[in-house]
Amino acid sequence: MSRSVGAFAIAVATALCACSQKEAAKPDTPKVAQAGAPGAAAASLGSFDPATHTAVVHSKDFAFDAPDSITAGWTTFHLVNDGPNLHHVQIVRLDSGKTAADFGAAMEASAKSHAPPPSWIVFYGGPNAPNPKGESNAMLDMQPGNYILICFVDIPDHVPHFTKGMIHPLKVTAAAGAAAAEPTADVTVTLADYAFTAQGPLTAGKHTFKIVNKGPQAHEIEVIRLAPGKTMKDVNEFMDKAYAGKADGPPPLDALGGIAADTPGMTEYFTADLTPGNYVLLCFVPDAKDGKPHMQHGMVKEFKVN
Ligand SMILES: [Cu+2]
């Protein structure tokens, strides 16, 4: 990535982040990661700060810039999407000594046979898609093990971005020092086949969302704010055009993020700043039985923020 593009993205990200002192205090200033040679021109944008348990990940077409190793415990993943497309971070734990190459082969086989992925693939959440040039976050309880960060977003050609290079191995090692506390939420959203159930005040302002997957399938939560006067019909029409490579005009929505697909029984957190408008919660995870996105099975929840 060129430095100028990175600098622009950081400037935008900082502007979006100016919502509170707490947010501004986060270490989202890129640091030279351990992988980069000292004094190298191309400084890494991905980082991990063990003091604040914060991992910074940058996404772009079609790569992640992310730390290679972090320590276990509650961790804030901070995604900065340098664009130009929508991207997210789907964290996957690879059990049984499997590798990123095994993952690619297993997903290909699973797509061909319409069978669920093997049990050594454990969907672990992650910061869901923000706008291009936007940011999102997720707080996850990381256990020691081998993980990959991938992007399942498949705009504009139905080809998932992880097959185009958006796959990054992440090792989680045992923690030393003080562990981070589990976050405290003011809104809880449960995910289940096939509904979102929200408890707590969906009001204007900054909220910490607790996401609980009650299963039986893996689910995600993506939060979008509809542009003024736009509806889900406009969103669906825009998506169809985007897939056809014929998107015209600005998207009828803002993507705020959420939590990428997780395994039943898991709990994660994310923060989002709700400004007045019409919102929709969506799950795009393909159904285990018919392969249709869960939003077509009812995982679409609209709400209004005054
Ligand atoms: Cu992507």
Side-chain angles (χ1 to χ4, degrees):
M1 136 157 350
S2 82
R3 297 185 76 108
S4 58
V5 169
F8 175 69
I10 292 155
V12 172
T14 305
L16 287 171
C17 242
C19 32
S20 79
Q21 289 296 332
K22 192 173 167 231
E23 189 79 6
K26 277 187 183 170
D28 49 6
T29 306
K31 290 171 205 149
V32 178
Q34 62 275 33
S44 175
L45 299 170
S47 65
F48 176 66
D49 182 345
T52 58
H53 310 275
T54 300
V56 176
V57 177
H58 278 248
S59 60
K60 64 174 178 177
D61 295 18
F62 292 100
F64 287 118
D65 200 329
D68 300 322
S69 174
I70 67 172
T71 51
W74 283 99
T75 305
T76 299
F77 285 88
H78 192 69
L79 169 62
V80 182
N81 181 10
D82 295 336
N85 265 299
L86 287 170
H87 300 292
H88 72 163
V89 178
Q90 170 72 61
I91 299 176
V92 179
R93 198 179 73 216
L94 300 178
D95 292 345
S96 310
K98 299 293 185 178
T99 65
D102 296 326
F103 172 83
M107 289 307 286
E108 201 173 322
S110 163
K112 271 189 191 145
S113 62
H114 300 286
S119 60
W120 52 263
I121 292 176
V122 180
F123 292 104
Y124 216 83
N128 227 341
N131 270 356
K133 307 298 183 190
E135 301 187 351
S136 64
N137 63 73
M139 282 76 90
L140 313 177
D141 189 12
M142 303 304 292
Q143 307 297 326
N146 290 313
Y147 296 74
I148 47 174
L149 313 181
I150 63 170
C151 182
F152 273 127
V153 176
D154 61 353
I155 297 170
D157 51 10
H158 287 293
V159 179
H161 296 171
F162 78 85
T163 66
K164 299 180 176 185
M166 297 193 76
I167 183 162
H168 183 97
L170 176 74
K171 191 169 187 66
V172 179
T173 60
E182 182 169 344
T184 307
D186 62 331
V187 177
T188 298
V189 183
T190 56
L191 319 181
D193 299 18
Y194 298 99
F196 293 105
T197 308
Q199 285 179 296
L202 291 168
T203 51
K206 197 170 177 194
H207 295 279
T208 299
F209 293 82
K210 178 180 187 175
I211 304 303
V212 181
N213 184 0
K214 299 215 161 157
Q217 294 190 39
H219 295 293
E220 72 176 326
I221 176 171
E222 171 71 23
V223 184
I224 63 169
R225 180 174 49 235
L226 297 170
K230 300 295 183 185
T231 65
M232 271 306 292
K233 186 168 172 285
D234 297 300
V235 172
N236 288 325
E237 285 173 6
F238 178 81
M239 296 278 284
D240 287 345
K241 281 186 187 167
Y243 278 126
K246 290 178 180 155
D248 50 355
L253 62 100
D254 277 316
L256 277 72
I259 297 288
D262 66 358
T263 299
M266 282 186 65
T267 297
E268 307 91 359
Y269 298 81
F270 70 95
T271 64
D273 194 6
L274 302 181
T275 55
N278 292 316
Y279 287 77
V280 190
L281 307 179
L282 297 166
C283 177
F284 294 94
V285 171
D287 190 69
K289 296 178 201 82
D290 62 18
K292 289 182 185 165
H294 285 165
M295 57 186 286
Q296 289 183 25
H297 285 279
M299 292 190 77
V300 179
K301 184 184 178 67
E302 301 197 34
F303 64 95
K304 186 178 173 80
V305 172
N306 291 304

